[in-house]
Amino acid sequence: MKPYRINELASKYVEYDMIQTYTELPAFPDPRLRLLHAVLNEHEALASKSELYTLVVSLVQLGMDTHDLIDTEDTRRTEMEMRSRQLKVLAGDYFSSRFYQLLSQAGQIAMVSKISAAVCEVNRLKMDLYIKMQRSQLKAEEYLTKLTALKSEMFQLFTDLMEGAFVKLWPEMLQEVSRCETVLAEMERFDSSPRFYQSWAYWHVMQEGTPEEQQSLAKQPEQSYVYDLLGKYELQSKLVSKLKSAADRLRQTAAKLESEPLKEVIQDMADSFLEKMSARIRA
């Protein structure tokens, strides 16, 4: 199996001094990329393109994730905040545009069309989610399911290229890896009252909490109040259970694979999710 070096390849497009100085980028979608790279290498017809395809998807996903960080509220901003916002716009556009160039240079015009269609579908899913959030029509589990779908959608386009058992196993593995990423990200939102707003925990309390608690959440409460809710509704333990279940399903799917190297990659991925969860709990 070819070594995974997508982070290294992507760094030439991502690590610019001005971006690193004046703004922050979202987390690199490493688990999904590792999975994609490993699975593509199991296909004789796709192995030679595994690095190219994984690299361009990493840039497109990073571009979309960067645009998601842009503050759209109509408020006054400091010069530093304005610069950070402008750089997010430009950086997201830049990352997204590079995949056209990379694929065109490689003569992969058909893949340009596939990725463009996937971007459109991701945007459609986002709009559906945002509308439901604005109307307060979401249940907590529905929110988690929709976020998982958003993370996996860009990678689903490769299903049509898969062969044999991977036609069924690829979507299953992608689903569980994306869900693990989603749950871990939701756990990180516990520590910030602004980030708690419209998180999985927020929707859980809006679904199960008292009218007084629901009203308080709408006003962005103090962090101490958020911690009280975390304890009362055992929100961390609920997410821990969801992560363990997703990691177990990922292992079970990996066990169906014939390739031992691929099994090892996926088992290590499941272990890594659980280690990050444990580190989060200890912190």
Side-chain angles (χ1 to χ4, degrees):
M1 182 176 290
K2 294 180 181 178
Y4 175 84
R5 59 191 190 107
I6 301 304
N7 302 61
E8 177 186 344
L9 295 173
S11 64
K12 64 180 290 188
Y13 304 105
V14 176
E15 295 179 359
Y16 287 96
D17 291 341
M18 183 167 289
I19 292 176
Q20 295 179 340
T21 301
Y22 294 107
T23 194
E24 294 183 359
L25 294 178
F28 200 65
D30 198 61
R32 280 165 286 162
L33 296 173
R34 286 183 181 274
L35 178 66
L36 175 62
H37 183 262
V39 171
L40 290 179
N41 278 323
E42 292 296 319
H43 290 73
E44 184 176 352
L46 301 174
S48 63
K49 307 178 188 70
S50 61
E51 278 194 345
L52 173 64
Y53 287 169
T54 309
L55 174 60
V56 297
V57 168
S58 76
L59 294 175
V60 175
Q61 187 68 59
L62 189 61
M64 291 191 295
D65 292 346
T66 301
H67 280 160
D68 287 343
L69 295 180
I70 297 171
D71 181 8
T72 57
E73 292 186 8
D74 188 16
T75 58
R76 292 182 62 85
R77 301 178 179 86
T78 65
E79 182 178 348
M80 183 66 72
E81 289 171 338
M82 283 296 297
R83 181 172 295 180
S84 174
R85 186 177 187 277
Q86 290 167 352
L87 280 173
K88 283 186 175 69
V89 174
L90 294 173
D93 289 346
Y94 174 71
F95 300 150
S96 298
S97 67
R98 290 309 299 241
F99 91 87
Y100 288 104
Q101 180 184 24
L102 289 168
L103 289 174
S104 296
Q105 288 175 343
Q108 296 291 312
I109 307 303
M111 186 56 67
V112 172
S113 178
K114 284 181 176 290
I115 291 179
S116 298
V119 169
C120 290
E121 180 59 16
V122 169
N123 289 332
R124 187 193 67 79
L125 293 175
K126 284 181 184 177
M127 287 304 300
D128 178 60
L129 175 60
Y130 294 158
I131 289 172
K132 289 200 170 187
M133 291 170 72
Q134 289 175 348
R135 295 175 178 173
S136 296
Q137 295 177 336
L138 273 179
K139 302 296 186 182
E141 185 57 34
E142 180 187 13
Y143 168 82
L144 206 61
T145 299
K146 286 183 176 295
L147 274 192
T148 299
L150 277 172
K151 284 188 180 296
S152 65
E153 183 61 37
M154 177 56 57
F155 297 76
Q156 291 283 8
L157 69 92
F158 291 96
T159 303
D160 292 342
L161 304 180
M162 300 294 172
E163 298 175 350
F166 288 107
V167 174
K168 181 175 184 294
L169 296 181
W170 165 248
E172 292 179 4
M173 292 186 291
L174 179 60
Q175 162 78 14
E176 302 310 334
V177 168
S178 299
R179 188 169 175 88
C180 286
E181 283 191 79
T182 300
V183 173
L184 279 174
E186 289 301 303
M187 292 178 71
E188 293 173 359
R189 298 180 67 170
F190 290 164
D191 295 334
S192 168
S193 180
R195 293 192 66 207
F196 184 88
Y197 179 65
Q198 292 191 334
S199 66
W200 171 87
Y202 169 92
W203 293 113
H204 181 86
V205 176
M206 292 298 286
Q207 180 179 336
E208 304 292 340
T210 66
E212 292 77 13
E213 289 168 341
Q214 295 169 357
Q215 187 174 8
S216 296
L217 283 184
K219 299 176 181 178
Q220 191 173 314
E222 296 293 330
Q223 187 63 41
S224 59
Y225 186 75
V226 169
Y227 285 142
D228 289 342
L229 293 175
L230 295 180
K232 177 180 178 179
Y233 292 99
E234 301 179 330
L235 298 175
Q236 179 164 273
S237 65
K238 284 181 170 61
L239 285 184
V240 166
S241 177
K242 291 179 184 296
L243 181 56
K244 288 181 177 179
S245 296
D248 286 344
R249 290 193 297 269
L250 181 60
R251 288 196 180 100
Q252 291 167 9
T253 303
K256 302 174 185 176
L257 298 168
E258 295 182 0
S259 169
E260 291 301 324
L262 181 56
K263 281 185 183 179
E264 184 176 346
V265 167
I266 297 172
Q267 294 287 358
D268 287 347
M269 197 174 294
D271 291 342
S272 177
F273 284 128
L274 295 176
E275 289 169 4
K276 289 177 181 177
M277 178 197 70
S278 298
R280 160 78 200 180
I281 295 173
R282 291 193 302 266

